[in-house]
Amino acid sequence: MSTFADQTFTPPELIRNFCIIAHIDHGKSTLADRMLQLTGVVEERAMRAQYLDRMDIERERGITIKAQNVRLPWQVDGQDHVLHMIDTPGHVDFTYEVSRALEACEGTILLVDAAQGIEAQTLANLYLAMENDLTIIPVLNKIDLPAADPDKYAKELAHIVGCEPEEVLRVSAKTGLGVGDLLDEVVRRVPAPVGDSDAPARAMIFDSVYDTYRGVVTYIRVVDGKITPRERIRMMSTGATHELLEVGIISPEPKPSRGLGVGEVGYLITGVKDVRQSKVGDTVTWEKKGATEPLAGYREPKPMVYSGLYPVDGSDYPILREALEKLQLNDAALTFEPETSAALGFGFRCGFLGLLHLEITRDRLEREFNLDLISTAPNVVYRVVMEDGSEHVVTNPSDWPEGKRAEVYEPVTKCTIIAPSDYIGAIMELCQSKRGQLGGMDYLSEDRVELRYTMPLGEIIFDFFDALKSRTRGYASLDYEESGEQDAELVKVDILLQGEPVDAFSAIVHKDHAYGYGTKMATKLRELIPRQQFEVPIQAAIGSRVIARETIRAIRKDVLAKCYGGDITRKRKLLEKQKEGKKRMKMVGRVEVPQEAFVAALSTEDSGKDKKK
C-alpha cells in the first residue's frame, strides 16, 4: 500500500454525491465518459467509450446493468470539491439497482434525449428520486442532433419537475458541450452530505462484488464517523466481525486510501470469501464502541417473475449453486431456492424482477461460470384458495393444487405507457386484448400522451412489450410496478406424452388462452421430438379434458417390399402382423425427450422477446 489516494477525510461541505438517471440510449454512459475526461481521472490514451460499463454484455447490448460509482475532483471558483458520481441502469428490470444508488446520493441529474423527450421508465425513476427528497437537475442531452427540439422538451421537463424552462440545462455528451457548466451546477445545487464525524462509525452497504483473489469487495457510503484500515468492524444485521485489510475510493479504478469520512463513497475489503456475510442494505460499524442504531437500509425487492434454471449436465448442479450465490452478491434482486423436476433433474427456482433480468442473469451465469443452462417458461406467483379454505402459493406449475378450487388470484401491475398521441387507438386495443383496464390518460404536451393501465403481470411478461413497440413504430415506452392482486379464471395446462405429463412444459394460463398455448406447444414438440418405432400422441390437457392433440407418426419398415403381386390376403397378413408388433412396442416403449428439444421448446419460447425493452 505505497500509494494512497490524493486526500483523506475530505470535509463534508466540499463533497457532492449525485447519480444520473435516464432511459436506455439517452446518453447516460456517454455523459459519464465526458465527466471522466473533463475531470482528468482517466488519461486520454486509456479512454474508451462506455468506460464505466465493465461487463461484456453491457458493451454488446449498449445498456447499463450495474450501477458504477466513481470519485471525481472538480474546482469551482478556485475551491476544490469531490464529486461522487453513480451511473445507474435505465431499464425497469433494474429499478432496485437505481433505488440503492439514490439512497447513497443527495442529488440526481435527470438526463433526457432532446430528440425524444422523457420516457416512462425515466419518469418512474424520477418519482423514486422525488420520494427520497433528492435535488433534481433536469438536463437535455443530444442538443447537437438535427432532430433535437430542446425548446419543446424543456417545456415538457419543466412541467413535470416543476421548474422554469430556462432552468433546464442543455448539453451534448458526445461533443462535451455544456458538461463543465453541468458539473458547476451540481456543486451549486446539490446539498453537501450531513453526518456527525465524531459519532461511532455508520456506513451503508449499497453494493458488493466478488473478486476471485481478494474475496468480497463491499461498496459503502459513510454516514457518520470514520472507517479506517486495520480496525475491526461489525456488520449490524448478521453480527459478523472482520478486520479491514483495505479501504479505498474508486477513481475510476480502485485506489487504497487512509480512510473514509462523513459523506464519502468508497470500498472496503476484509478478505472474507463467504458471500453471505456482506448483505446489501446492511450497516457497517466498529466492533468496539460501535453504533447501536442501524441505518434504515433498503426494502427487500419482490420477485415479479419466476423461472427454473437447470444445468444441461447434472454434475454441474453444485457449480450452479455457487455461481448463483456469487451472482446474488452482485445482484441483490435475484432470489433462488432448490427444486427438482422429473424431466430436467436438479435445479433452482429463481425469482427475477422481469424478463430482461432473467435473460441477463442466464447470460452472465453461462459466460462468467461456463455453465450450459436450460430455463423453463417464466411464470408469476399465484395464490390459490381451495373450497376447504386452505391457501396455496404457486410459483411453479407443478405446485398447482389438485381438488376443487374456490378462487385463484393473480398479481396485477400499474402500467404507464408514454407514446405519441397518434397511436392511442392501437395501444388501447392491445391493452384491452391483454385484459387491461384504463386508469387514466394525461397529455404531457400537444402530441405526447401518458396512458395508465391496470394489467395482469402474467400478460406483460411474455410478448406485450414487443407488440407495443411494433404497433407504435418503436415510439412507445413502458414502465410497470406491482399493484396487488385480482381474482381470475386461471387453469393449468399439462402437456402429455403418451398419456404421461411432462412437468417442464406445464403452464398456468387464463382460461381464454389455454387452447392457444396447448396447440402451440403440441405443434412445436411434434417437430422437435424424433420419430419412434411406434406412434406417439402429444396432448394438451386441462385436468382430464384434452384440448389439443398432435401425433408423431411411427417409423415403418416397408413389409410389402418383398411381395410381387400375389393374393391381397398375404399383404394384409403382413400388415396386421406389423400392427400387432407396434402395439406391443408401444406398451413397453418410453419416449425420451432429447435435451435439445427442451432447450428449443423452453428457451425459444420467450428468450429474445424482450431484448430491446
Side-chain angles (χ1 to χ4, degrees):
M1 281 207 317
S2 54
T3 56
F4 281 107
D6 45 1
Q7 194 179 351
T8 52
F9 304 133
T10 309
E13 56 272 15
L14 298 180
I15 296 174
R16 300 290 182 273
N17 296 324
F18 71 98
C19 64
I20 306 173
I21 54 175
H23 192 67
I24 293 166
D25 209 28
H26 277 209
K28 200 168 44 261
S29 298
T30 312
L31 179 63
D33 288 350
R34 288 299 81 76
M35 288 179 173
L36 294 176
Q37 276 182 305
L38 204 60
T39 53
V41 293
V42 178
E43 294 174 21
E44 286 296 327
R45 61 183 182 161
M47 194 63 205
R48 62 168 196 264
Q50 289 173 259
Y51 192 91
L52 293 178
D53 289 349
R54 304 293 167 92
M55 280 188 258
D56 296 345
I57 306 172
E58 289 181 316
R59 305 187 71 76
E60 281 168 24
R61 292 176 179 239
I63 59 174
T64 304
I65 295 165
K66 280 297 300 167
Q68 298 285 354
N69 75 86
V70 62
R71 182 185 176 113
L72 310 168
W74 190 245
Q75 203 174 60
V76 178
D77 303 331
Q79 176 65 60
D80 287 329
H81 289 79
V82 167
L83 311 180
H84 290 125
M85 187 260 292
I86 302 178
D87 179 20
T88 63
H91 193 279
V92 61
D93 281 13
F94 303 109
T95 304
Y96 186 61
E97 200 77 28
V98 179
S99 70
R100 301 204 318 263
L102 294 175
E103 289 277 347
C105 300
E106 279 79 36
T108 181
I109 293 173
L110 174 67
L111 194 69
V112 173
D113 189 327
Q116 290 182 9
I118 197 159
E119 304 279 7
Q121 293 171 14
T122 319
L123 209 54
N125 288 338
L126 170 64
Y127 293 147
L128 269 179
M130 286 175 165
E131 277 173 32
N132 286 15
D133 291 331
L134 265 60
T135 302
I136 291 150
I137 303 175
V139 180
L140 283 173
N141 187 21
K142 305 191 184 182
I143 56 167
D144 56 319
L145 288 182
D149 190 348
D151 296 336
K152 173 186 170 185
Y153 292 119
K155 279 183 193 164
E156 190 178 291
L157 262 181
H159 169 66
I160 293 166
V161 177
C163 66
E164 294 301 316
E166 300 76 52
E167 291 175 45
V168 178
L169 298 178
R170 300 172 188 205
V171 304
S172 167
K174 192 175 180 182
T175 62
L177 177 69
V179 178
D181 297 338
L182 171 57
L183 288 172
D184 290 348
E185 280 299 307
V186 167
V187 172
R188 286 194 195 101
R189 290 203 211 174
V190 175
V194 179
D196 184 352
S197 56
D198 299 322
R202 287 198 305 170
M204 166 81 81
I205 299 177
F206 69 90
D207 206 359
S208 321
V209 293
Y210 185 81
D211 185 290
T212 315
Y213 303 104
R214 315 190 75 183
V216 178
V217 180
T218 305
Y219 295 107
I220 58 163
R221 147 83 198 260
V222 180
V223 176
D224 293 324
K226 298 180 180 70
I227 300 278
T228 51
R230 294 295 161 195
E231 67 181 337
R232 290 194 69 80
I233 55 159
R234 176 165 55 87
M235 307 289 183
M236 291 186 80
S237 77
T238 59
T241 59
H242 313 287
E243 185 186 356
L244 281 178
L245 302 181
E246 188 179 301
V247 176
I249 58 165
I250 312 282
S251 181
E253 302 305 322
K255 292 181 185 171
S257 73
R258 291 195 180 89
L260 297 171
V262 170
E264 290 194 275
V265 176
Y267 68 92
L268 50 91
I269 295 173
T270 56
V272 173
K273 299 280 186 184
D274 183 358
V275 294
R276 287 173 294 245
Q277 293 194 11
S278 185
K279 193 170 177 286
V280 166
D282 201 351
T283 305
V284 177
T285 188
W286 302 324
E287 185 185 8
K288 289 177 182 166
K289 297 183 182 172
T292 51
E293 279 292 308
L295 297 164
Y298 308 109
R299 57 190 179 87
E300 289 288 317
K302 205 172 172 191
M304 306 275 262
V305 177
Y306 283 86
S307 175
L309 287 181
Y310 294 86
V312 171
D313 180 355
S315 62
D316 284 344
Y317 176 75
I319 301 167
L320 177 59
R321 176 192 288 277
E322 199 177 317
L324 281 166
E325 282 178 356
K326 286 179 182 172
L327 202 59
Q328 194 178 37
L329 181 74
N330 193 228
D331 178 1
L334 172 69
T335 62
F336 63 92
E337 57 183 39
E339 75 165 2
T340 53
S341 155
L344 300 172
F346 291 102
F348 291 93
R349 192 90 194 145
C350 303
F352 306 94
L353 295 183
L355 223 55
L356 183 77
H357 188 206
L358 184 162
E359 203 183 317
I360 295 289
T361 303
R362 203 180 101 184
D363 233 356
R364 287 184 69 185
L365 286 167
E366 289 183 341
R367 287 183 192 210
E368 294 172 25
F369 302 97
N370 295 324
L371 289 161
D372 274 336
L373 300 174
I374 297 173
S375 60
T376 61
N379 63 281
V380 296
V381 191
Y382 301 101
R383 188 166 65 87
V384 183
V385 181
M386 307 300 283
E387 282 197 343
D388 62 4
S390 62
E391 275 194 20
H392 299 267
V393 174
V394 178
T395 59
N396 187 347
S398 59
D399 299 338
W400 192 254
E402 298 298 323
K404 294 212 169 179
R405 291 173 289 279
E407 289 164 328
V408 181
Y409 293 94
E410 64 178 349
V412 290
T413 57
K414 276 185 184 160
C415 296
T416 307
I417 299 167
I418 295 180
S421 48
D422 307 354
Y423 300 107
I424 291 176
I427 293 169
M428 284 183 161
E429 189 189 338
L430 173 66
C431 292
Q432 278 161 6
S433 72
K434 299 283 186 184
R435 301 188 285 133
Q437 293 175 329
L438 183 63
M441 190 164 91
D442 286 320
Y443 278 84
L444 300 175
S445 60
E446 304 92 69
D447 55 356
R448 277 179 29 107
V449 69
E450 177 189 1
L451 293 150
R452 292 183 299 282
Y453 268 92
T454 303
M455 288 174 72
L457 179 61
E459 297 285 352
I460 292 177
I461 63 166
F462 288 106
D463 56 354
F464 178 75
F465 191 76
D466 272 16
L468 180 67
K469 282 288 187 193
S470 62
R471 289 189 190 206
T472 59
R473 297 188 188 169
Y475 283 114
S477 67
L478 167 77
D479 176 66
Y480 60 87
E481 61 178 45
E482 60 177 316
S483 173
E485 57 183 19
Q486 69 180 20
D487 190 2
E489 292 186 27
L490 300 167
V491 292
K492 178 188 175 189
V493 179
D494 280 314
I495 303 295
L496 314 174
L497 280 182
Q498 259 195 302
E500 290 293 316
V502 183
D503 62 348
F505 296 133
S506 299
I508 298 163
V509 292
H510 190 264
K511 191 179 70 176
D512 300 344
H513 302 165
Y515 176 72
Y517 176 80
T519 45
K520 185 173 71 176
M521 216 52 184
T523 310
K524 192 175 265 188
L525 287 174
R526 190 191 67 189
E527 294 162 10
L528 293 169
I529 295 172
R531 289 171 69 183
Q532 314 284 323
Q533 292 281 352
F534 49 90
E535 197 175 78
V536 179
I538 302 169
Q539 296 165 308
I542 299 172
S544 57
R545 184 164 62 90
V546 174
I547 56 169
R549 173 181 169 134
E550 291 284 347
T551 306
I552 301 171
R553 309 290 301 174
I555 301 171
R556 286 183 183 274
K557 180 182 167 190
D558 187 0
V559 291
L560 305 182
K562 58 192 177 192
C563 296
Y564 298 102
D567 189 10
I568 186 70
T569 53
R570 171 85 181 127
K571 292 181 181 176
R572 199 169 284 145
K573 186 179 172 188
L574 286 167
L575 287 169
E576 287 296 327
K577 192 177 173 186
Q578 184 186 38
K579 200 171 169 185
E580 283 299 315
K582 295 282 181 200
K583 198 180 278 183
R584 273 202 310 277
M585 204 181 276
K586 189 171 183 174
M587 286 165 70
V588 295
R590 282 190 71 237
V591 184
E592 287 293 335
V593 183
Q595 287 285 21
E596 301 79 60
F598 278 114
V599 174
L602 297 172
S603 307
T604 58
E605 177 74 10
D606 308 289
S607 241
K609 280 195 176 173
D610 235 19
K611 274 181 188 169
K612 301 183 199 75
K613 188 167 172 182

